[in-house]
Amino acid sequence: MGAAVPRRPRRASGEEAEALMSAPAEALVAAEHTLTRRNADAEPGTRATAPLHGDDVLPRYPLDVFADGAAHPVPLLIGTTAHEGRMFPLLLDILPTDRARIEKMFNGTDPEVKARALAAYPGYPGRRAAADLGGDIVFWEPSVLCAQGHAPHAPTYAYRYDYAPRLLDLTGMRATHGTDLLALFGAGDGRAGRAATLLGGRAGLRAVTRTVQDHWLAFVRDGAPGPSWPAYTARRRETLIIDEASRVVDDPNAERRRAWIGYRHRR
């Protein structure tokens, strides 16, 4: 899951549209990087470049569509890593993962909701707690909202990727954003996989890779993962925890999930 959809800007003139269409790819990439860095401080919790709602392509805000059960009723597989936000302050500082950005993100939020959310992250405003909070509100909490809205209308399967080789444990990054791709694409023997398992964990990554690929391929082929992964329901919130020994847990991080109830994502 990505960050909130940004507010709709004024419609570009023909001249501005032509300038965008004719701009070199390198200039567009550089502009996107500049806007993303600025937006991280100006509108924390949103992205500077993202689909806009309010036209024929995307008529409504996506989280509202899921909440109303109006998304296309097809099977959905959705989830996040356990600590999505921890890599961002170190490698891509664009999320609300520090106190200043988090305080600004909560501007206009019900003070009770803000207090409840902050209390759900022991150690806040410490570095790791703040990173977990920022990662949760950008990735995990919206994925929960999508799953709970979609589950009554179509088969829905939720996961949390927990596997972290020893190096990632020692650095405190744990199972952070993107580490699940090593398993998904079978990259354990590639450069990134060898680096991640430098201090051990190669066998564990192979086991996790089999779990992920077997489930994902079954979902693509049949519309459902393997039989050990039950469908998500709003009552039990069944979630597959993917690790060396994967298991199904009902409503993982339940206290955090309840703490965010009432928070309104920026648009």
Side-chain angles (χ1 to χ4, degrees):
M1 286 301 297
V5 179
R7 298 168 184 169
R8 186 172 182 79
R10 64 181 178 84
R11 185 176 296 277
S13 69
E15 182 179 343
E16 291 166 335
E18 176 59 29
L20 286 172
M21 292 294 291
S22 60
E26 296 81 0
L28 292 175
V29 170
E32 194 276 337
H33 286 169
T34 298
L35 289 172
T36 297
R37 288 193 295 269
R38 290 178 183 172
N39 199 73
D41 294 315
E43 293 282 346
T46 70
R47 289 293 303 273
T49 51
L52 293 166
H53 66 285
D55 57 19
D56 292 341
V57 177
L58 190 64
R60 300 179 59 204
Y61 185 60
L63 288 180
D64 290 343
V65 175
F66 277 99
D68 294 343
H72 192 47
V74 296
L76 173 67
L77 190 153
I78 190 168
T80 64
T81 62
H83 299 279
E84 286 281 351
R86 292 199 182 182
M87 70 84 104
F88 285 91
L90 300 174
L91 302 176
L92 187 62
D93 188 22
I94 62 173
L95 296 191
T97 53
D98 62 53
R99 187 171 192 169
R101 289 179 185 170
I102 289 169
E103 289 294 324
K104 191 168 186 178
M105 183 187 79
F106 278 116
N107 283 349
T109 300
D110 181 335
E112 182 179 339
V113 173
K114 175 184 176 181
R116 194 170 64 227
L118 294 181
Y121 296 84
Y124 178 82
R127 177 170 55 88
R128 290 178 181 173
D132 284 341
L133 186 153
D136 280 358
I137 199 56
V138 170
F139 295 105
W140 170 70
E141 192 262 357
S143 78
V144 172
L145 296 179
C146 289
Q148 73 183 25
H150 200 63
H153 307 283
T156 301
Y157 302 91
Y159 71 89
R160 191 184 76 200
Y161 185 89
D162 278 23
Y163 180 69
R166 187 164 182 263
L167 177 63
L168 294 181
D169 271 337
L170 290 175
T171 59
M173 293 181 72
R174 309 293 297 276
T176 191
H177 185 78
T179 55
D180 51 338
L181 298 181
L182 296 174
L184 180 61
F185 292 109
D189 293 325
R191 181 181 300 176
R194 291 195 303 271
T197 57
L198 187 63
L199 300 182
R202 186 72 58 85
L205 182 55
R206 290 196 188 102
V208 171
T209 296
R210 287 192 296 271
T211 297
V212 168
Q213 293 186 342
D214 286 350
H215 282 306
W216 263 244
L217 289 171
F219 180 80
V220 171
R221 183 181 62 243
D222 305 323
S228 62
W229 187 348
Y232 187 94
T233 63
R235 184 176 66 86
R236 293 184 56 183
R237 303 179 183 273
E238 299 91 332
T239 302
L240 180 69
I241 307 300
I242 299 173
D243 210 333
E244 287 188 76
S246 297
R247 64 200 188 280
V248 174
V249 173
D250 291 350
D251 201 6
N253 288 341
E255 291 186 10
R256 286 189 182 180
R257 177 185 61 79
R258 288 191 289 266
W260 285 108
I261 292 174
Y263 177 80
R264 188 68 173 171
H265 286 262
R266 294 185 174 198
R267 307 187 179 200

